[in-house]
Amino acid sequence: MSDAIGIGMLGYAFMGKAHSNAFRKIAYMTWPPPLVPRLVAIAGRDAEAVAAAAARYGYERSTTDWRDLVSDPEIGLFDNGGPNHLHAEPTIAAAEAGKHVVCEKPLGRTAGESFEIWSRVAATGVHHMCAFNYRFVPAVRLAREMIDAGELGEIRHFRVRYLQDWGDDPSLDTWRFNADEAGSGALGDLAAHAIDLAHFLVGDIASVSALVRTFLPDRQVDDAVEAAVEFAAGAVGTIESTRLALGRRNALQWEINAQKASLAFDMERMNELQVFRADGDRARGFKTVLVSETDHPFWEHWWPPGHIIGWGETFVHELHHFLGAVAGEWGVAPYGATFEDGYRAAEICDAMVRSSEGGRREEIAYRQLASSAA
Amino acid sequence: MSDAIGIGMLGYAFMGKAHSNAFRKIAYMTWPPPLVPRLVAIAGRDAEAVAAAAARYGYERSTTDWRDLVSDPEIGLFDNGGPNHLHAEPTIAAAEAGKHVVCEKPLGRTAGESFEIWSRVAATGVHHMCAFNYRFVPAVRLAREMIDAGELGEIRHFRVRYLQDWGDDPSLDTWRFNADEAGSGALGDLAAHAIDLAHFLVGDIASVSALVRTFLPDRQVDDAVEAAVEFAAGAVGTIESTRLALGRRNALQWEINAQKASLAFDMERMNELQVFRADGDRARGFKTVLVSETDHPFWEHWWPPGHIIGWGETFVHELHHFLGAVAGEWGVAPYGATFEDGYRAAEICDAMVRSSEGGRREEIAYRQLASSAA
Amino acid sequence: MSDAIGIGMLGYAFMGKAHSNAFRKIAYMTWPPPLVPRLVAIAGRDAEAVAAAAARYGYERSTTDWRDLVSDPEIGLFDNGGPNHLHAEPTIAAAEAGKHVVCEKPLGRTAGESFEIWSRVAATGVHHMCAFNYRFVPAVRLAREMIDAGELGEIRHFRVRYLQDWGDDPSLDTWRFNADEAGSGALGDLAAHAIDLAHFLVGDIASVSALVRTFLPDRQVDDAVEAAVEFAAGAVGTIESTRLALGRRNALQWEINAQKASLAFDMERMNELQVFRADGDRARGFKTVLVSETDHPFWEHWWPPGHIIGWGETFVHELHHFLGAVAGEWGVAPYGATFEDGYRAAEICDAMVRSSEGGRREEIAYRQLASSAA
Amino acid sequence: MSDAIGIGMLGYAFMGKAHSNAFRKIAYMTWPPPLVPRLVAIAGRDAEAVAAAAARYGYERSTTDWRDLVSDPEIGLFDNGGPNHLHAEPTIAAAEAGKHVVCEKPLGRTAGESFEIWSRVAATGVHHMCAFNYRFVPAVRLAREMIDAGELGEIRHFRVRYLQDWGDDPSLDTWRFNADEAGSGALGDLAAHAIDLAHFLVGDIASVSALVRTFLPDRQVDDAVEAAVEFAAGAVGTIESTRLALGRRNALQWEINAQKASLAFDMERMNELQVFRADGDRARGFKTVLVSETDHPFWEHWWPPGHIIGWGETFVHELHHFLGAVAGEWGVAPYGATFEDGYRAAEICDAMVRSSEGGRREEIAYRQLASSAA
């Protein structure tokens, strides 16, 4: 039987539910799990609500003070699913208390804050992961594996757009529209995912030429961002995100055009990868690959081919990956996003804001850690 | 807090995994659950394997004799996910021992066996459900609700096909190819689902004109069935199923053409329903409805709109529904399939065989229970 | 410069427009044409309307008596685009006058009438073609070429449905609803196309088990047909057609499942062929082949790849093919449908009616010509 | 009977074929045509080839000197389908000789050259049209009509990409890769179309932030352009074009997100428009509108609903529109692109190059004609 690891969860709403569900499923769907998650405690602002969440998801105790998680000796993994302004302090404190840490994206509200989190946590030597869960979609991992295997050749274009439409309601009240709590709008919430996928699939972004725009009169944060981008390896493309794309509910769409193949993806049909190969077949065309075969990524955990999975499963894959890293079976990188990756996405987000304000293409300079810690 | 109910599971392979996962998720994803499933015991042929399954899914004990489940006073719900030849005896025994019963499809291997199960179980007064899980796809339920609300008007056509392709391998060895254990091939395995959906959405089937065909030389069971069908309410259409449709992995596809609307569905894109309305809009066309809105069926359990779910979740909905029925919150019918529905599907399957052999259209005569028990 | 051939056209409505457009385009789009069509005369019931059509499409003269076409020595090709009850007598008379003949489908209103047309015309030795234009869709021809080249292997399933929705209007008045003029409804109008494609792609149909149905109260002809079918070569499948499939405007859809590949097609996306190959690629899936490459059928006449063509172009291909046959460059068969093919489709249509009425599977016996004439 | 107008055509290759086909079809498919095109003369570089083209398409005479067209009194409409460096001089000369002029895009190789063409031609008072044929796709016109009717409300986003893949061949030799003859690469060839559609559907572009990139080593012109754009009316979005998008053959794709509706389009499925309406329907989703209904744009010329048309037909619509303008039935604007529109697209193309080179967002200043001539 695998060893157990105590989980301390910050946040009980959207991400709290997604992560808690994942921890529970890992225990029996990924078999045997690298470590068996023991749900020790959950923290949140409202005492009654967090107690209810503990009962629901099976945490042994609940608290309104995240410091209780940090000081809890039974917790080995601190998972931060709180709002953005609560990413830095608790995550750093948990790491400095020797706990492995997972933090929801965006890592910090700015590049500076993100770098601070990364560098402080890296210095502790714990394992860390920024929860860019879309890396853990089977179709996305398959794309990455095809790229790594040289099946695409030189990449010329990457275009990505993350489109949602729930933002067009002036009456909505959520921390996601509060500048201090969220830091930004579509930028940190949606574009950060798009940026990380760009980095995961095509490599470092070298420059951005961006427009960051707020449409609704009294909104404190941006509604949309549009950017033309260059990659260090030579590809060019676009990155877009918006909360005002009517009819698009969770449309994280991307396309790669390369010398030997093109790939395309849409999160609303997350079980499919579009693949075009220049293989000389007279019957040429994009294949709709249903990524659910026994030799496809993550599929050893699931069902017979063709029996598709859902959005929630990306967290099962992600947290299973982190548990494996903690157990020493593999590294967080390169398949998982480390806090360095979280920081790098934030650097791009900041550059987009500067580009939008200054009307200039912004070359990206990524900071390194002083020591060789990672 | 909800009351608990003890679960006894027969079968630890494909369906055992699907049902066990559902019982575990019901406990916290459908909140509060009508009854909290307590995983008491699991039974299977191989002692070591069933013990491992118990450890994995969290059953308190395991056994190689299903009679242990029947006699276990802590078990209130007997869930039969075993091979087809083990549906009748254990299910009847469990019901006669006062346990509520769920049985995988096909209910029995023949209409006769199915009727026997239904009538014997109905006489005990327990709740019973035949596990036609595709009724619990949100898009399928939405279709049913649209029909019930009169949004379609008179239905003229229903065509359904359940296409898979794993059968084209002579070396495969599974109970599903054994005539005695399975009873039939694509007929009971796939066509039964298609037939139940036809019944669920359009009503009673009045006649079938069918071809049942085995392609592989030494195969004991059928590989495919093709049928033209009439419905009691006047619609006509087709029912097809095959294990030899290369490239179709789990393609349960159906289409309804009615006076005021048409609907179309494909299980490989199970989160989508195609809807055409004759509403006079100049921009007329089939809508691709992503069935994941807050006002869509089952969505209260899940994620924000657009964050899709997978095949495994149909079992969460299905078993949650049964627990609700056991708890007295609603009936198994009409949204769940009772054993009567399981019997009726078997009656159609038998008629398809007779039609294929005799070269005649077969009118269906459904048997009723002697008393008014259901 | 190619020789000219005089065209005599019967009918100036839907098919008259489609064929006239094709003859005009052949003269410069298929270059050099096998024969240059010279539009000599057009015949129709209404003197004023047919004169207007002659002016519009460039016929040298018009007439209300089709016998004028038959007796016109300048006409070498008689093209019958009139209503069904005017197929037999004018077509036979034109052939007996030594003119090559094209006749719209269905060839006759019954198998008997169709056989009469075929045998009488075959006896004259002229070239004859039944205008099953969907054989001349590039994607359909590509499918046929793949089959002929052995790329599919043994075919297990063919399912085809021709769905339209204009029939659900009791106020519509057209010869297509008149039993004497049309002979049948969806059967001869739509199912005949589906049947011919089944024959073109998979070979002879061996039996049919059918339901022919009229939904609208005072309609004289059928609205829909549903059939399970067997092919002589062993495949099984379905053939369906209806004028009551709301939202389907010209949806001639078919799918082939074979040992080495599956193919799928929808006339509403006629430039695309779906191709699945069992080629062992980890990235397996149906390709959406845009059939417009320089090495694709008919594409030498058109545009650069990806610049798609329309429904009207199928007639350009079809009549170009017939002119080539008349010019001795190739035969009408096997790519074009001869009158024998027209007769064979009618034999199936009749068998569907018998099957529907008698409730029996109908084995098909095809008649042969007494002599070896074809 | 309509009056005739003499056509003089410059160019006999790709565009020469497309325009000649259109003039021939207009004569009988658009009935009655505003003016009957009489194909008087065609000019091209190679005497033999241009004579063959004249014979093929039915021009009365051919010449290797375009000045012969300009001086020909029987020519009333000069249609310039020659390479880009032959747009300015012949077009201006023809207009100054009193002929109405059509010129292929891009109007000139630079904004300066384009302005020169526009201003010189406008001064003559003839009708002029820049051949942005994608305005004449039925789905594009339907989109425009929906916008004009207020069905979309405020537009927030427009993203467009024109993707082809034929450019990835270093051995290709065409004037399109010659810097002097073409002026630019993907920019003038593909992006110009995208820019004109942006202008046609959303209005003036206010700024561009662009990357113009050449991938192939010895290529004289650009292979791709990526841009973030702002519109004068407030929308933001992206414009992309490339000749290196493997598997995309003629993929002019765009999407509009507005307050009340979203629209999406792909030229490879040009008969379809995707329409999402915020109409409160529980069954919400993008409709696939098959733009072929009797009340849809241009459909009065064609076939019954659902019988789709091809790329070539866009030229029939376009040149029919211009003939109507010449006949005084309507204006070239707003549905057709005037030379002013051609100039404005060139202004954007130039700004994209400046932005790419200077690393700055470029605000667009459009030049006006000195007088009020247009």
Side-chain angles (χ1 to χ4, degrees):
Chain A
M1 194 63 178
S2 309
D3 290 337
I5 183 167
I7 308 295
M9 183 80 216
L10 172 54
Y12 53 80
F14 181 25
M15 282 301 121
K17 181 179 182 181
H19 287 236
S20 298
N21 173 56
F23 283 124
R24 292 197 60 143
K25 293 188 73 164
I26 284 167
Y28 61 89
M29 287 302 279
T30 70
W31 190 256
L35 290 169
V36 178
R38 174 185 156 209
L39 304 193
V40 173
I42 186 166
R45 273 180 279 201
D46 181 296
E48 198 172 337
V50 74
R56 177 173 182 177
Y57 300 116
Y59 290 90
E60 300 169 12
R61 43 192 179 267
S62 66
T63 174
T64 57
D65 185 352
W66 56 261
R67 287 169 188 82
D68 293 340
L69 306 184
V70 171
S71 62
D72 191 331
E74 298 190 312
I75 289 176
L77 189 166
F78 177 78
D79 185 346
N80 192 335
N84 301 348
H85 72 298
L86 283 180
H87 286 184
E89 191 183 2
T91 302
I92 293 169
E96 295 184 341
K99 294 164 194 340
H100 304 293
V101 286
V102 172
C103 186
E104 262 303 323
K105 38 61 54 183
L107 184 56
R109 287 163 296 178
T110 62
E113 189 177 62
S114 301
F115 184 78
E116 171 81 4
I117 300 174
W118 171 37
S119 56
R120 296 274 297 276
V121 169
T124 68
V126 302
H127 292 281
H128 46 86
M129 183 173 68
C130 185
F132 285 119
N133 61 304
Y134 293 125
R135 293 183 176 211
F136 293 91
V137 174
V140 172
R141 172 71 72 88
L142 178 60
R144 168 69 188 247
E145 291 179 10
M146 291 175 69
I147 292 167
D148 288 351
E151 296 181 40
L152 271 73
E154 188 186 296
I155 295 176
R156 273 76 178 265
H157 296 296
F158 183 73
R159 53 188 78 85
V160 57
R161 43 201 198 194
Y162 197 163
L163 311 177
Q164 295 187 345
D165 67 355
W166 58 274
D168 199 7
D169 180 350
S171 71
L172 269 180
D173 184 22
T174 151
W175 65 264
R176 293 176 192 276
F177 292 146
N178 180 297
D180 184 59
E181 292 181 73
S184 66
L187 196 60
D189 188 25
L190 306 181
H193 273 300
I195 288 163
D196 182 67
L197 282 185
H199 176 223
F200 183 60
L201 295 172
V202 190
D204 277 341
I205 293 171
S207 81
V208 296
S209 304
L211 299 163
V212 179
R213 185 64 53 103
T214 302
F215 285 92
L216 272 74
D218 297 318
R219 183 141 299 165
Q220 296 180 25
V221 296
D222 60 276
D223 291 317
V225 57
E226 310 281 338
V229 302
E230 289 174 299
F231 290 83
V236 293
T238 51
I239 294 178
E240 304 173 74
S241 70
T242 181
R243 289 165 169 168
L244 299 180
L246 196 64
R248 304 296 180 195
R249 300 302 263 156
N250 196 36
L252 173 56
Q253 307 170 335
W254 54 258
E255 176 167 330
I256 292 175
N257 305 126
Q259 257 182 317
K260 297 193 283 183
S262 282
L263 305 177
F265 174 81
D266 183 348
M267 189 63 200
E268 290 185 352
R269 288 179 172 168
M270 61 169 272
N271 293 277
E272 301 175 11
L273 183 68
Q274 303 287 324
V275 178
F276 182 95
R277 290 189 192 278
D279 59 6
D281 191 345
R282 187 188 187 199
R284 72 204 299 270
F286 276 84
K287 286 181 198 175
T288 299
V289 179
L290 197 55
V291 188
S292 60
E293 299 296 319
T294 50
D295 62 347
H296 283 165
F298 307 111
W299 214 256
E300 69 273 18
H301 305 314
W302 302 106
W303 316 107
H307 295 66
I308 66 174
I309 60 169
W311 173 87
E313 268 68 283
T314 62
F315 294 91
V316 174
H317 304 161
E318 179 180 60
L319 293 171
H320 172 266
H321 178 77
F322 190 66
L323 292 179
V326 170
E329 298 190 13
W330 48 67
V332 172
Y335 292 126
T338 64
F339 280 6
E340 178 174 12
D341 298 319
Y343 152 70
R344 291 169 91 88
E347 196 66 80
I348 304 293
C349 288
D350 277 18
M352 286 180 172
V353 173
R354 288 196 307 274
S355 174
S356 181
E357 290 173 351
R360 292 204 58 86
R361 186 185 308 145
E362 291 286 326
E363 314 282 338
I364 314 298
Y366 297 100
R367 298 171 65 183
Q368 305 291 333
L369 292 187
S371 69
S372 65
Chain B
M1 193 64 178
S2 310
D3 289 336
I5 184 167
I7 309 295
M9 182 80 214
L10 171 54
Y12 54 81
F14 182 25
M15 282 301 122
K17 182 179 182 182
H19 287 235
S20 298
N21 173 56
F23 283 124
R24 292 197 60 144
K25 293 188 72 164
I26 284 166
Y28 61 88
M29 288 302 279
T30 69
W31 191 254
L35 291 168
V36 178
R38 173 184 157 211
L39 304 194
V40 173
I42 186 166
R45 274 181 278 201
D46 180 296
E48 199 172 334
V50 73
R56 177 173 183 177
Y57 301 115
Y59 288 91
E60 299 169 15
R61 44 191 178 266
S62 66
T63 175
T64 58
D65 185 353
W66 56 262
R67 287 170 189 83
D68 292 341
L69 307 184
V70 171
S71 62
D72 191 331
E74 296 189 313
I75 289 175
L77 189 165
F78 176 79
D79 186 345
N80 193 335
N84 302 348
H85 71 298
L86 284 180
H87 285 183
E89 191 184 359
T91 302
I92 293 168
E96 294 184 341
K99 293 164 195 339
H100 303 292
V101 285
V102 172
C103 185
E104 262 303 323
K105 40 55 62 183
L107 183 56
R109 288 164 294 178
T110 61
E113 190 176 63
S114 301
F115 184 77
E116 171 81 3
I117 300 174
W118 172 36
S119 56
R120 296 273 298 274
V121 169
T124 69
V126 302
H127 292 281
H128 47 87
M129 183 172 69
C130 185
F132 285 118
N133 62 305
Y134 293 125
R135 292 184 176 210
F136 292 91
V137 174
V140 171
R141 172 71 72 88
L142 179 58
R144 167 70 187 245
E145 291 178 9
M146 291 175 69
I147 292 167
D148 288 351
E151 295 181 41
L152 270 73
E154 186 187 298
I155 295 176
R156 272 78 178 263
H157 296 296
F158 182 73
R159 53 188 77 87
V160 57
R161 42 202 200 192
Y162 197 162
L163 310 178
Q164 295 187 344
D165 68 356
W166 57 275
D168 200 5
D169 181 350
S171 71
L172 269 179
D173 184 22
T174 152
W175 66 264
R176 294 176 192 275
F177 291 148
N178 179 297
D180 184 59
E181 291 181 73
S184 67
L187 196 61
D189 189 25
L190 305 181
H193 274 302
I195 288 164
D196 183 66
L197 282 185
H199 176 221
F200 184 59
L201 295 172
V202 190
D204 279 340
I205 293 173
S207 81
V208 297
S209 305
L211 298 163
V212 179
R213 184 66 52 105
T214 302
F215 286 92
L216 271 77
D218 297 318
R219 184 141 298 164
Q220 296 179 25
V221 296
D222 60 277
D223 290 318
V225 57
E226 309 282 339
V229 302
E230 291 175 296
F231 291 83
V236 292
T238 52
I239 294 178
E240 304 172 74
S241 69
T242 180
R243 289 166 169 168
L244 299 180
L246 197 64
R248 304 297 181 193
R249 300 303 264 157
N250 197 36
L252 174 55
Q253 307 170 335
W254 53 259
E255 175 167 330
I256 292 174
N257 305 126
Q259 256 183 318
K260 297 192 283 184
S262 283
L263 306 177
F265 173 81
D266 183 348
M267 188 64 200
E268 290 184 353
R269 289 180 172 167
M270 61 169 272
N271 292 276
E272 301 175 11
L273 183 67
Q274 304 287 323
V275 178
F276 182 94
R277 289 189 194 276
D279 59 5
D281 191 345
R282 188 189 185 198
R284 71 202 299 270
F286 276 84
K287 288 181 195 175
T288 299
V289 179
L290 197 55
V291 187
S292 59
E293 299 297 318
T294 50
D295 62 348
H296 283 166
F298 307 111
W299 215 256
E300 69 272 20
H301 305 313
W302 303 106
W303 316 109
H307 295 65
I308 66 174
I309 60 168
W311 173 87
E313 267 68 283
T314 61
F315 295 91
V316 175
H317 304 159
E318 179 180 61
L319 293 171
H320 173 267
H321 179 77
F322 190 66
L323 293 179
V326 170
E329 297 191 15
W330 48 66
V332 173
Y335 291 127
T338 64
F339 280 6
E340 178 174 12
D341 297 320
Y343 151 70
R344 290 168 90 89
E347 195 68 80
I348 304 292
C349 289
D350 277 18
M352 286 180 172
V353 173
R354 287 196 308 274
S355 174
S356 182
E357 290 173 351
R360 291 204 60 85
R361 185 184 307 145
E362 291 284 328
E363 314 282 338
I364 315 298
Y366 298 100
R367 298 170 66 182
Q368 306 291 333
L369 292 187
S371 67
S372 64
Chain C
M1 192 63 178
S2 310
D3 290 337
I5 184 167
I7 308 296
M9 183 80 214
L10 171 55
Y12 53 81
F14 182 24
M15 282 301 121
K17 182 179 181 180
H19 286 236
S20 299
N21 172 56
F23 283 124
R24 293 197 60 145
K25 293 190 72 165
I26 285 167
Y28 62 88
M29 288 302 279
T30 70
W31 190 255
L35 290 169
V36 178
R38 173 184 158 210
L39 303 194
V40 174
I42 186 167
R45 274 181 278 200
D46 180 295
E48 199 171 336
V50 74
R56 178 173 182 176
Y57 301 116
Y59 289 91
E60 300 170 15
R61 42 192 180 270
S62 67
T63 173
T64 57
D65 185 352
W66 56 262
R67 289 171 188 80
D68 292 341
L69 307 184
V70 171
S71 62
D72 190 331
E74 297 189 310
I75 289 174
L77 188 167
F78 176 78
D79 186 346
N80 193 334
N84 301 349
H85 72 299
L86 284 180
H87 285 184
E89 191 184 1
T91 302
I92 293 168
E96 293 183 342
K99 294 164 194 341
H100 303 293
V101 287
V102 172
C103 185
E104 262 304 323
K105 40 57 56 183
L107 183 57
R109 288 163 294 178
T110 62
E113 189 176 62
S114 301
F115 184 77
E116 171 83 4
I117 300 174
W118 172 35
S119 57
R120 294 275 297 275
V121 169
T124 68
V126 302
H127 292 281
H128 46 87
M129 184 172 68
C130 185
F132 285 119
N133 61 304
Y134 293 124
R135 292 183 176 212
F136 292 92
V137 174
V140 172
R141 173 71 72 88
L142 179 58
R144 168 69 187 245
E145 291 178 9
M146 292 175 69
I147 292 167
D148 288 352
E151 295 181 41
L152 271 73
E154 186 186 298
I155 295 176
R156 273 74 178 266
H157 296 295
F158 183 73
R159 54 188 77 87
V160 57
R161 41 202 200 192
Y162 198 163
L163 310 178
Q164 296 188 342
D165 68 354
W166 58 275
D168 200 6
D169 180 350
S171 71
L172 269 180
D173 185 21
T174 152
W175 65 264
R176 293 175 193 274
F177 291 147
N178 180 298
D180 184 60
E181 292 181 74
S184 66
L187 195 62
D189 189 24
L190 305 182
H193 274 301
I195 289 164
D196 183 66
L197 283 184
H199 175 221
F200 183 60
L201 294 172
V202 189
D204 278 340
I205 292 172
S207 80
V208 297
S209 305
L211 298 163
V212 179
R213 185 65 54 104
T214 302
F215 286 92
L216 271 76
D218 297 316
R219 185 141 297 164
Q220 295 180 23
V221 295
D222 60 277
D223 289 317
V225 57
E226 310 282 338
V229 301
E230 289 176 297
F231 290 83
V236 293
T238 51
I239 295 179
E240 304 173 72
S241 70
T242 180
R243 289 165 167 168
L244 300 180
L246 196 64
R248 305 296 181 193
R249 300 302 264 157
N250 196 37
L252 174 55
Q253 307 170 334
W254 53 258
E255 175 166 329
I256 292 175
N257 305 127
Q259 254 183 320
K260 297 193 283 184
S262 283
L263 305 177
F265 173 81
D266 183 348
M267 189 64 201
E268 290 184 354
R269 288 179 171 167
M270 61 170 272
N271 293 275
E272 301 175 11
L273 184 67
Q274 304 287 323
V275 178
F276 181 95
R277 288 189 194 279
D279 59 5
D281 191 346
R282 188 187 186 200
R284 71 204 299 271
F286 276 84
K287 288 181 195 175
T288 299
V289 179
L290 197 54
V291 188
S292 59
E293 298 297 317
T294 51
D295 62 348
H296 283 165
F298 307 112
W299 215 256
E300 69 272 19
H301 305 313
W302 302 106
W303 316 109
H307 295 65
I308 65 173
I309 60 169
W311 172 87
E313 269 66 284
T314 60
F315 294 91
V316 174
H317 303 160
E318 178 180 61
L319 293 171
H320 173 266
H321 178 78
F322 190 67
L323 293 179
V326 170
E329 298 190 14
W330 47 67
V332 172
Y335 292 126
T338 64
F339 280 7
E340 179 174 10
D341 297 320
Y343 152 70
R344 290 169 91 87
E347 196 67 80
I348 304 294
C349 288
D350 277 19
M352 286 179 171
V353 173
R354 286 197 307 274
S355 173
S356 182
E357 291 175 349
R360 291 203 61 85
R361 186 184 307 145
E362 291 283 326
E363 314 282 336
I364 314 297
Y366 297 99
R367 297 170 66 182
Q368 306 291 332
L369 292 187
S371 69
S372 66
Chain D
M1 193 62 179
S2 310
D3 289 337
I5 184 167
I7 308 296
M9 183 80 216
L10 172 54
Y12 53 81
F14 182 27
M15 281 302 120
K17 181 179 181 179
H19 286 236
S20 298
N21 172 54
F23 282 125
R24 293 196 60 144
K25 292 190 73 165
I26 285 167
Y28 62 88
M29 288 302 279
T30 69
W31 191 256
L35 291 168
V36 177
R38 173 185 156 208
L39 303 194
V40 173
I42 186 167
R45 275 181 277 200
D46 180 296
E48 198 172 336
V50 74
R56 177 173 182 176
Y57 300 116
Y59 289 91
E60 299 170 14
R61 42 192 180 269
S62 67
T63 173
T64 58
D65 186 351
W66 57 262
R67 288 170 188 80
D68 292 341
L69 306 184
V70 170
S71 63
D72 190 332
E74 297 188 311
I75 289 175
L77 188 166
F78 176 79
D79 186 345
N80 193 334
N84 301 349
H85 72 298
L86 283 180
H87 284 184
E89 192 183 1
T91 302
I92 294 168
E96 292 183 343
K99 294 163 195 338
H100 304 292
V101 286
V102 173
C103 186
E104 261 304 321
K105 38 60 55 184
L107 184 57
R109 287 163 295 179
T110 61
E113 188 176 64
S114 301
F115 184 78
E116 172 81 4
I117 300 174
W118 172 37
S119 57
R120 296 276 296 276
V121 168
T124 69
V126 302
H127 292 282
H128 47 86
M129 182 173 69
C130 186
F132 285 119
N133 62 304
Y134 293 124
R135 292 184 177 210
F136 293 91
V137 174
V140 172
R141 173 71 73 87
L142 178 59
R144 168 70 186 245
E145 291 179 9
M146 290 174 70
I147 293 166
D148 288 351
E151 296 182 39
L152 270 74
E154 187 185 297
I155 295 176
R156 273 75 178 265
H157 296 295
F158 183 73
R159 52 188 78 88
V160 58
R161 43 201 198 191
Y162 197 162
L163 310 178
Q164 295 186 344
D165 67 355
W166 58 273
D168 199 6
D169 181 352
S171 71
L172 269 181
D173 184 22
T174 152
W175 66 263
R176 294 177 191 274
F177 291 147
N178 180 296
D180 184 59
E181 292 181 74
S184 66
L187 196 60
D189 189 25
L190 305 181
H193 274 301
I195 289 164
D196 182 67
L197 282 185
H199 175 221
F200 183 60
L201 294 172
V202 190
D204 279 340
I205 292 171
S207 82
V208 297
S209 304
L211 298 163
V212 179
R213 184 64 54 102
T214 302
F215 286 91
L216 271 74
D218 298 317
R219 184 140 299 163
Q220 296 179 24
V221 295
D222 60 275
D223 290 317
V225 57
E226 309 282 339
V229 302
E230 290 176 298
F231 291 82
V236 293
T238 52
I239 295 179
E240 304 172 73
S241 70
T242 181
R243 289 164 169 168
L244 299 180
L246 195 64
R248 305 296 182 194
R249 301 301 265 156
N250 196 37
L252 173 55
Q253 306 171 336
W254 54 258
E255 176 166 330
I256 292 174
N257 305 126
Q259 255 183 319
K260 297 192 283 184
S262 283
L263 305 178
F265 174 80
D266 183 346
M267 189 63 199
E268 290 185 351
R269 288 180 172 167
M270 61 170 272
N271 292 277
E272 301 175 11
L273 184 68
Q274 302 287 324
V275 178
F276 182 95
R277 290 188 192 279
D279 59 5
D281 191 346
R282 188 187 185 200
R284 72 204 298 269
F286 276 84
K287 287 182 197 175
T288 299
V289 179
L290 196 55
V291 187
S292 59
E293 298 296 318
T294 51
D295 62 347
H296 283 165
F298 307 112
W299 214 256
E300 68 273 18
H301 305 313
W302 301 106
W303 315 109
H307 295 65
I308 66 173
I309 61 169
W311 173 87
E313 268 67 284
T314 61
F315 295 91
V316 174
H317 304 160
E318 178 181 61
L319 294 171
H320 172 268
H321 179 78
F322 190 65
L323 293 179
V326 170
E329 298 190 15
W330 49 67
V332 172
Y335 291 126
T338 64
F339 279 6
E340 178 174 11
D341 298 320
Y343 152 71
R344 291 169 91 88
E347 197 65 82
I348 304 293
C349 287
D350 277 19
M352 285 180 173
V353 173
R354 287 197 308 274
S355 173
S356 182
E357 290 174 351
R360 290 204 59 84
R361 187 185 307 145
E362 290 284 327
E363 314 281 337
I364 314 298
Y366 298 100
R367 299 171 65 183
Q368 305 291 332
L369 293 187
S371 70
S372 65

